[in-house]
Amino acid sequence: MGGKLQSGGRLRPVDLARGHGLSTQAVRNYEAAGILPAADRTPHGYRTYTSLHAGALRTFLALLPGHGHRTATSIMRAVNEGAVDDAFRLIDESHAQLLDDRRTLQSVENALRDLEPGAGPEPGAAHESGAAPGSAAAPGSAGSGTGGGIFIGSLAGKLGIRPATLRKWERAGVVRPRRDPLTGYRVYGEADVRDARLAHQLRRGGRPLGQIAPLLAQVRAAGGLEPLEAALYDWRGRLSARGRAMLNGAAELETYLRERG
């Protein structure tokens, strides 16, 4: 680190701060939060730190990118309180979350891969209530809606799900069909069919609706699936960077644990 050792190997707050581009107040705040061990005081009340405090600060800053501020703080507090097993549990939870994020990404990539390019709505025969082809239908309730698109029964049949499932997805914000001005029935346009098919693949992969709705909002904001490829690439890169950051944090933590004896 960049600070100068004081007599007896003591460090001032500014010595810890300077080597990491921090303010002395940040160092004091880290001590108050339990990230650093409690500092000794001079007869005049000034804080004095040691190489152990410097190691704690390096460890915390190394843990930050992989675990986030809250978890990194909890890890350091647990270690400094002697509850090392609690620190390991927190680290395990971060790794479990990273694994779940990787699985989510894989589910999304698989779902996009399974979507047939250029698939759009085709005229169907089921109406809003999900009636089977050939059954009696109200006027204007054929599979194709006014202005293009298909009704709920046709789409449900294509996906092999119940119309009630599509209504549930609509309430969750997964699909957003318009209403036919003549019949009041839901009409699913090309983008709606795409969203429903993607949602169906993700649901089959075990993804909850709460995770699917934000993803589809990204698809809509991006203007389709193709721009989403760049977002998935960035997402994959962030997960890899987080994994490497966790490795770096683990190495610093192991060094700090040895320093603590």
Side-chain angles (χ1 to χ4, degrees):
M1 53 174 285
K4 289 197 278 184
L5 284 170
Q6 301 299 300
S7 60
R10 292 183 298 177
L11 296 166
R12 302 165 300 175
V14 68
D15 296 323
L16 266 67
R18 190 177 294 150
H20 299 284
L22 301 172
S23 67
T24 55
Q25 185 59 51
V27 173
R28 289 191 287 267
N29 290 343
Y30 289 159
E31 181 192 348
I35 294 168
L36 307 182
D40 290 332
R41 299 275 185 156
T42 68
H44 297 288
Y46 295 111
R47 290 177 173 83
T48 61
Y49 297 112
T50 67
S51 61
L52 185 66
H53 295 89
L57 181 57
R58 284 195 304 271
T59 302
F60 172 70
L61 295 177
L63 290 170
L64 271 178
H67 298 274
H69 193 281
R70 178 179 296 181
T71 299
T73 298
S74 297
I75 291 170
M76 293 303 299
R77 185 182 295 128
V79 169
N80 291 328
E81 292 174 355
V84 178
D85 284 343
D86 288 344
F88 292 160
R89 176 183 55 80
L90 291 166
I91 292 170
D92 290 343
E93 289 175 354
S94 283
H95 280 283
Q97 181 61 59
L98 178 60
L99 178 59
D100 186 63
D101 290 345
R102 288 191 185 279
R103 287 172 173 164
T104 298
L105 173 59
Q106 188 64 57
S107 295
V108 173
E109 290 177 330
N110 290 342
L112 293 177
R113 193 178 304 118
D114 291 341
L115 287 177
E116 297 175 4
E122 300 175 1
H127 57 71
E128 174 73 10
S129 63
S135 62
S141 63
S144 181
T146 303
I150 59 176
F151 291 131
I152 192 170
S154 297
L155 180 55
K158 287 176 178 293
L159 298 177
I161 60 178
R162 296 170 58 86
T165 299
L166 283 169
R167 296 189 187 100
K168 180 180 180 181
W169 291 359
E170 182 180 350
R171 290 193 295 271
V174 172
V175 290
R176 302 187 303 182
R178 63 182 176 85
R179 293 282 181 162
D180 187 287
L182 298 179
T183 65
Y185 292 153
R186 294 169 174 85
V187 179
Y188 295 82
E190 183 175 357
D192 301 316
V193 173
R194 174 205 66 200
D195 292 349
R197 296 178 70 225
L198 179 56
H200 184 46
Q201 293 291 340
L202 292 172
R203 289 293 286 155
R204 290 177 62 184
R207 294 298 102 195
L209 289 179
Q211 293 181 7
I212 295 173
L215 169 68
L216 290 179
Q218 281 187 293
V219 173
R220 297 182 191 111
L225 294 175
E226 185 175 350
L228 191 61
E229 291 294 337
L232 294 177
Y233 181 84
D234 290 342
W235 185 1
R236 193 181 307 110
R238 288 196 301 271
L239 293 180
S240 295
R242 186 179 172 197
R244 292 194 66 172
M246 285 183 175
L247 290 176
N248 183 55
E252 288 289 351
L253 180 60
E254 172 62 21
T255 299
Y256 180 58
L257 289 173
R258 287 201 304 268
E259 289 176 353
R260 288 181 56 87

